[in-house]
Amino acid sequence: MSRLLTRRRFLVGSTLTASALGLTGCDALVENSRVQSVLKIAEGFSMKTQRFLQGDNALAREFSTADLSPVFRANGTSMPDNPQYLSWMSAQFSDWKLGVDGLVNSPLQLSLAEIKAMASRTQITRHDCVEGWSAIGQWTGVPLGLVLQRAQLKPEARYIVFHCADEYEKSLDGSGWYYESIDLVDAFHPQTILAYGMNGRDLEVAHGAPLRLRVERQLGYKQAKYLTRIEVVADLGQLYGGNGGFWEDRGYEWYAGI
Ligand SMILES: Nc1nc2c(c(=O)[nH]1)N[C@H]1C(S)=C(S)[C@@H](COP(=O)(O)O)O[C@H]1N2
Ligand SMILES: [Mo]
């Protein structure tokens, strides 16, 4: 890469937003180490400022049914292709289970019926993808905090990791499992839910059936689809590329504040 281009990317990157990097989509890779380090600083800054200015529990804006987008596009994986997922899908997810383990006193294996029997929350929010599109959708699910309370976090617990059923872009580094993570502030935020319903219907496969994360103060790539397992950990360094998420391991910010 020419020095000129490197310099230009550095300057663009220093405006501190992912879209300002000129990323054309989730598939773009940020390889420039100076850009990376600017992003790391910017990321800590955006999380702390958002939480300082708005408070740990500030709600993302909610909308009314009149605001629902007529079309909510699907992005990233829209049909996982592994045999295990296809078998769950053909049984309408009746034998699918969500594992909750790691730093918990009571590991859980929850069926979809058990999750649906828990208290639910419905919210209409705007989803913002770094690719530059947004859509307003209605989500119904169990607050993540209720599930974590049931599992009882150990004192060392710091992060909640979401493992998914799809291997997106296997080719990039051979470990293409989609995963994501959030800290405990977001995990116990009232709008952080494990959603099984969208726009009043069961969540469709394209949108992450049977269960996906909604963490409403962050960007689209944090909204992990096709959940299979929630793992509670003390640090993120041991998992996959060590940056706490599939796209984070490929250069995106871990705290993707909107
Ligand atoms: N498991 C998994 N979760 C994922 C993705 C993915 O490819 N696999 N893509 C992410 C991205 S980049 C976006 S914008 C949203 C898209 O959600 P949607 O398909 O419901 O629009 O899911 C996020 N969660
Ligand atoms: Mo996205």
Side-chain angles (χ1 to χ4, degrees):
M1 187 185 294
S2 77
R3 281 178 62 190
L4 208 123
L5 183 54
T6 307
R7 169 103 183 121
R8 191 172 158 269
R9 288 185 67 186
F10 176 70
L11 288 174
V12 170
S14 65
T15 65
L16 310 184
T17 67
S19 52
L21 278 171
L23 304 183
T24 50
C26 287
D27 298 313
L29 286 175
V30 185
E31 278 160 340
N32 184 308
S33 63
R34 290 166 82 192
V35 169
Q36 297 269 22
S37 59
V38 169
L39 279 178
K40 282 278 167 269
I41 297 164
E43 175 191 350
F45 182 75
S46 79
M47 180 173 84
K48 292 198 181 93
T49 359
Q50 191 191 61
R51 289 181 176 169
F52 176 73
L53 293 175
Q54 302 173 0
D56 282 358
N57 280 315
L59 297 180
R61 180 166 170 202
E62 294 196 13
F63 297 81
S64 76
T65 46
D67 302 313
L68 287 172
S69 299
V71 176
F72 196 118
R73 64 177 266 198
N75 206 36
T77 302
S78 57
M79 170 66 84
D81 60 5
N82 77 74
Q84 170 65 268
Y85 184 85
L86 295 175
S87 133
W88 285 326
M89 193 179 80
S90 63
Q92 277 88 51
F93 303 103
S94 56
D95 55 351
W96 167 95
K97 282 205 161 99
L98 177 73
V100 183
D101 55 45
L103 297 172
V104 297
N105 292 324
S106 300
L108 308 173
Q109 283 284 328
L110 298 171
S111 70
L112 194 53
E114 286 171 311
I115 291 171
K116 287 183 172 178
M118 293 179 75
S120 73
R121 179 184 163 95
T122 294
Q123 60 204 25
I124 300 178
T125 53
R126 198 187 64 214
H127 174 110
D128 295 314
C129 174
V130 289
E131 287 183 38
W133 59 273
S134 300
I136 294 176
Q138 183 191 56
W139 306 98
T140 299
V142 59
L144 174 62
L146 291 182
V147 173
L148 297 178
Q149 260 165 30
R150 198 181 271 202
Q152 298 168 47
L153 301 193
K154 294 192 168 167
E156 317 88 85
R158 293 279 308 283
Y159 300 98
I160 310 299
V161 178
F162 303 89
H163 295 280
C164 304
D166 59 317
E167 284 182 273
Y168 186 69
E169 299 262 355
K170 270 183 232 185
S171 53
L172 284 176
D173 64 2
S175 70
W177 291 100
Y178 205 94
Y179 77 107
E180 259 302 339
S181 62
I182 59 177
D183 68 9
L184 297 186
V185 170
D186 270 334
F188 287 95
H189 184 275
Q191 286 171 321
T192 300
I193 65 174
L194 301 175
Y196 46 76
M198 180 185 184
N199 296 343
R201 292 187 300 276
D202 279 347
L203 191 60
E204 285 170 20
V205 167
H207 293 291
L211 197 69
R212 81 174 305 167
L213 176 66
R214 293 301 310 173
V215 48
E216 303 291 0
R217 295 182 301 179
Q218 297 202 52
L219 291 168
Y221 62 89
K222 299 298 288 190
Q223 322 297 325
K225 308 196 278 190
Y226 315 113
L227 299 182
T228 54
R229 176 176 170 224
I230 290 178
E231 185 185 7
V232 182
V233 299
D235 82 286
L236 298 169
Q238 320 305 318
L239 289 148
Y240 299 97
N243 299 295
F246 176 88
W247 285 114
E248 289 84 334
D249 287 340
R250 289 154 182 83
Y252 279 47
E253 298 172 53
W254 176 76
Y255 191 80
I258 293 175

